[in-house]
Amino acid sequence: MDLTRLAAEDPGKAAVLDAETGEQISYGELEARSNRIAHALRRRGLVPGSHLAVLSPNTLDLFPVVWAAQRSGLLHTPVNWHLAADEATYIVENCEAMLLVHDDSLAELAASIAAATGVPLLTFAALEAEAATEPATPIGDQAEGYYMFYSSGTTGRPKGILPELPNAPFGTGLQLDHMMAGYFGFGPDTVYLSPGPMYHAAPMGWSFGALRNGGTVVMLPRFDAELALQAIEQYDVTHGQFVPTMFVRMLKLAHDQRAAYDVSSLQVVIHAAAPCPIEVKEQMIAWFGPKLLEYYSGSEGAGFFMIDSAAWANHKGSVGQSVFGVPHVLDDDGAELPTGEIGQIWFSGSAPFEYHGDAEKTAGAYNDRGWSTLGDLGHLDEDGFLYLSDRRTDLILSGGVNIYPREIEDVLVLHPDVDDVAVIGVPDAEFGQSVHAVIQPAPGVSLDGLDGRISEFLRERIAGFKVPRSFAFGEVPRLPSGKVLRRHLMKSYSERPQQR
C-alpha cells in the first residue's frame, strides 16, 4: 500500500501505461515526481486537509500530481472538463480549492475558472518545474489524503461528496484499496485496464487501488471499443473495469474485429456505474467467459453490493448481495416494503457522508431513522439479492402508471439500427407524462420508417403502454462515464420529437 516501498522493490516496473502510445511512468519515477511535487505543495501552504483541484484529460502527467496530493493529506478533486464552464467553476469554488493544476490542453477553461474564482493556476509543466529542485524523498509529515468526487451533474448542480480524512500514515491505504485485494484479486501481478475518464470516481479510485496493490494500470486516453480489445491482448490485461455502454460498443463491432483479439489473459471483468441489460451481460459472459464481477455502490459509500457470474446466472438482473450497508426498500411514506416490491432503496449501518456546502441536499439523502439513499429504486428477492429499477428522478408517471426508462432502454439498445438511446418523460396534456425516446441511429441507417420499425420491435418485447409515443433522432448526450445528460434532453425535447 506504500508507494515508497513498492518503488524501492521494483523501481523500473511500469506503474501507468498509455495504451495508445505505449509511454509509461515507472514506480520509481512516480515516487520521485510525486515526492517533489508534495514538497512544492507544502511550500505553497497546502497542508493536511487543504484542497487541490485538478483539470486534466487522461494523461500520464496527472498521476504524479494526484499521488503528491494523496501522500500530503490533501483532499483532491478531479474536475470533469466536459462540464460547462460555469459548472466546472462551481466545483472549484465549492470545494474551496487553494490551487488548480491543469493540463495545457485545457488552458482556456482553466483560465475562465481562475478568473471567476481567483484560485491560483499552474499547468502540470509549471508545477513540475517549480518542484524540480525539491527532494525526491517523502515530506516529513506524510498522511493519507482522499479524493473528493463530484456527481456528474446529469440532473442539476454537481454535488461534492465530502469524505472524512483517514487521519492515518501514508501507506495505510483506503477502504477500496483493501477491498480490491480481498474481493477482486488485485495484487503485484495485476494489469488493470482503465478505459474511463480519470475525473470519474471509478477510474481514478480503482487506478489508485491497482497501484496500491503493486499492479500496473493500462490507461486508455478515451474509450474506443477496438483499442480496448487491442490493449487487453497487447498488455496481457488481467483485470478491466467497464460500464454497460462500453460492453454494447464492443458487442456491436463486426464479428471479425472481435475475433481478431485474444482476451484470454482476462481474469476478472468488473462492471458498474449502471445496471447492465440481461442480454448484453449474457453475450459478454459467452465472449469473455464467466469472469464478470458486478458491483453497485456510489461515491457516497452508503452501501456496496457484489455479484459474480455464477451467482448472476441464478439471479439474472441482480446487482448482488450487500458487502456492507444494510438495504431497506421503502414506499413513499417510509414504510418498509415486502420482498419483491419496488421502492426507494435506503441503507443503514454505513458511514455517514455529506454533500459539501449543501446542507439541504445532505438532509434530503437521510430519513428520520438516519438511513441514507442514493436515490435509486429497486427491490430485494428472498435471498437478499438487489435488483435496480431506475433513478427516482428518471421515473415516468403516465396516466398514474410508473414506467421505468431503463427497462425500455435495455431493449432498445439491442436493436441493430440503434447505436444509443435515452428514454425520458415529457409533458402530456392527457396523461401527465408520455414516453419519449431519443435514438442515435447506427452509422448508415436511414431514418425513413425507423420509428415504425423500432415500435414494432418494442411491441414484441415489452407492454404496449411502455412503447414511446414520440421519437427524436440524433446524438444521445452522454458523459464519458456513460451517464446520460437527461437535463439536456429535457431542455431540448420539444424542439426535436417526431410525433407518431
Side-chain angles (χ1 to χ4, degrees):
M1 294 287 166
D2 188 343
L3 182 59
T4 301
R5 180 183 62 79
L6 292 167
E9 289 174 353
D10 194 351
K13 180 178 180 177
V16 188
L17 277 160
D18 184 310
E20 190 169 50
T21 66
E23 294 178 277
Q24 67 178 57
I25 293 180
S26 68
Y27 268 91
E29 185 181 0
L30 183 59
E31 166 72 4
R33 288 172 66 180
S34 64
N35 278 330
R36 290 192 176 100
I37 293 171
H39 283 283
L41 293 175
R42 280 287 187 267
R43 290 189 185 280
R44 280 184 163 265
L46 278 77
V47 298
S50 296
H51 206 116
L52 176 76
V54 184
L55 187 67
S56 175
N58 284 10
T59 176
L60 296 179
D61 287 339
L62 168 68
F63 283 85
V65 175
V66 293
W67 274 97
Q70 183 64 33
R71 70 192 314 152
S72 302
L74 306 185
L75 290 163
H76 48 104
T77 288
V79 180
N80 177 352
W81 53 274
H82 288 91
L83 293 175
D86 66 328
E87 293 174 312
T89 296
Y90 170 80
I91 290 174
V92 173
E93 188 168 47
N94 180 259
C95 76
E96 302 173 40
M98 292 180 62
L99 179 66
L100 173 60
V101 185
H102 66 95
D103 185 76
D104 192 56
S105 65
L106 297 170
E108 185 176 347
L109 176 58
S112 174
I113 294 169
T117 62
V119 174
L121 280 183
L122 273 182
T123 64
F124 287 147
L127 180 57
E128 294 264 11
E130 186 174 300
T133 58
E134 299 288 352
T137 51
I139 56 176
D141 58 344
Q142 285 195 123
E144 287 285 3
Y146 221 119
Y147 27 71
M148 177 178 165
F149 295 110
Y150 277 70
S151 68
S152 302
T154 57
T155 56
R157 280 285 194 191
K159 295 177 294 187
I161 300 143
L162 181 65
E164 184 176 346
L165 282 170
N167 191 28
F170 179 67
T172 304
L174 306 179
Q175 181 183 26
L176 177 61
D177 305 329
H178 294 279
M179 288 183 66
M180 288 170 63
Y183 289 105
F184 295 87
F186 279 71
D189 296 328
T190 295
V191 180
Y192 171 65
L193 179 67
S194 184
M198 286 295 171
Y199 60 71
H200 191 59
M204 177 66 81
W206 286 70
S207 292
F208 256 91
L211 294 171
R212 292 276 203 177
N213 286 287
T216 294
V217 174
V218 176
M219 177 185 65
L220 295 186
R222 69 206 170 282
F223 180 72
D224 176 271
E226 191 164 9
L227 179 60
L229 296 176
Q230 178 183 317
I232 292 169
E233 179 182 74
Q234 182 176 352
Y235 298 108
D236 291 323
V237 168
T238 62
H239 294 62
Q241 181 164 193
F242 304 88
V243 299
T245 53
M246 295 175 182
F247 284 162
V248 171
R249 294 286 190 273
M250 290 191 286
L251 288 168
K252 289 198 172 184
L253 290 172
H255 178 74
D256 58 343
Q257 287 177 286
R258 289 169 51 182
Y261 298 99
D262 181 2
V263 296
S264 61
S265 63
L266 286 170
Q267 299 171 14
V268 182
V269 179
I270 304 153
H271 69 101
C276 187
I278 289 175
E279 190 171 340
V280 169
K281 189 160 179 173
E282 287 174 335
Q283 291 181 45
M284 290 304 300
I285 290 173
W287 181 10
F288 283 1
K291 304 171 183 179
L292 271 66
L293 190 54
E294 182 173 3
Y295 73 90
Y296 164 68
S297 186
S299 300
E300 292 87 344
F304 196 99
F305 290 72
M306 283 177 53
I307 189 166
D308 62 19
S309 295
W312 186 84
N314 297 314
H315 299 272
K316 290 188 176 182
S318 174
V319 295
Q321 293 174 302
S322 178
V323 174
F324 64 80
V326 180
H328 307 271
V329 180
L330 308 183
D331 65 17
D332 290 341
D333 296 320
E336 201 141 4
L337 291 169
T339 296
E341 290 197 24
I342 295 173
Q344 189 160 352
I345 305 159
W346 296 79
F347 301 97
S348 63
S350 53
F353 64 88
E354 67 176 90
Y355 294 119
H356 186 51
D358 199 326
E360 183 177 350
K361 284 182 180 176
T362 301
Y366 289 87
N367 65 11
D368 57 0
R369 285 173 274 195
W371 300 349
S372 58
T373 184
L374 302 176
D376 290 322
L377 301 172
H379 71 276
L380 293 163
D381 69 12
E382 62 278 2
D383 298 318
F385 284 82
L386 177 65
Y387 298 75
L388 300 179
S389 297
D390 234 313
R391 298 282 299 172
R392 173 164 289 281
T393 51
D394 298 340
L395 184 66
I396 300 170
L397 186 61
S398 183
V401 177
N402 289 343
I403 298 175
Y404 301 98
R406 180 204 153 202
E407 181 183 0
I408 305 166
E409 292 168 350
D410 284 356
V411 177
L412 265 174
V413 77
L414 298 173
H415 192 288
D417 293 340
V418 173
D419 200 41
D420 202 359
V421 62
V423 172
I424 59 173
V426 298
D428 185 285
E430 181 180 1
F431 295 102
Q433 284 185 306
S434 64
V435 181
H436 176 69
V438 179
I439 305 291
Q440 184 171 316
V445 170
S446 170
L447 299 185
D448 187 31
L450 181 57
D451 55 349
R453 297 197 300 275
I454 288 173
S455 294
E456 183 179 354
F457 179 84
L458 286 172
R459 289 184 188 283
E460 295 173 355
R461 292 164 174 81
I462 61 174
F465 69 88
K466 300 175 185 178
V467 176
R469 298 182 66 192
S470 59
F471 294 85
F473 297 100
E475 184 177 358
V476 173
R478 285 186 185 269
L479 294 170
S481 61
K483 293 185 178 180
V484 175
L485 285 165
R486 295 187 186 274
R487 73 181 190 280
H488 287 188
L489 295 178
M490 293 300 295
K491 181 179 179 181
S492 63
Y493 82 92
S494 59
E495 302 168 5
R496 297 190 294 164
Q498 299 174 9
Q499 296 292 335
R500 293 179 48 251

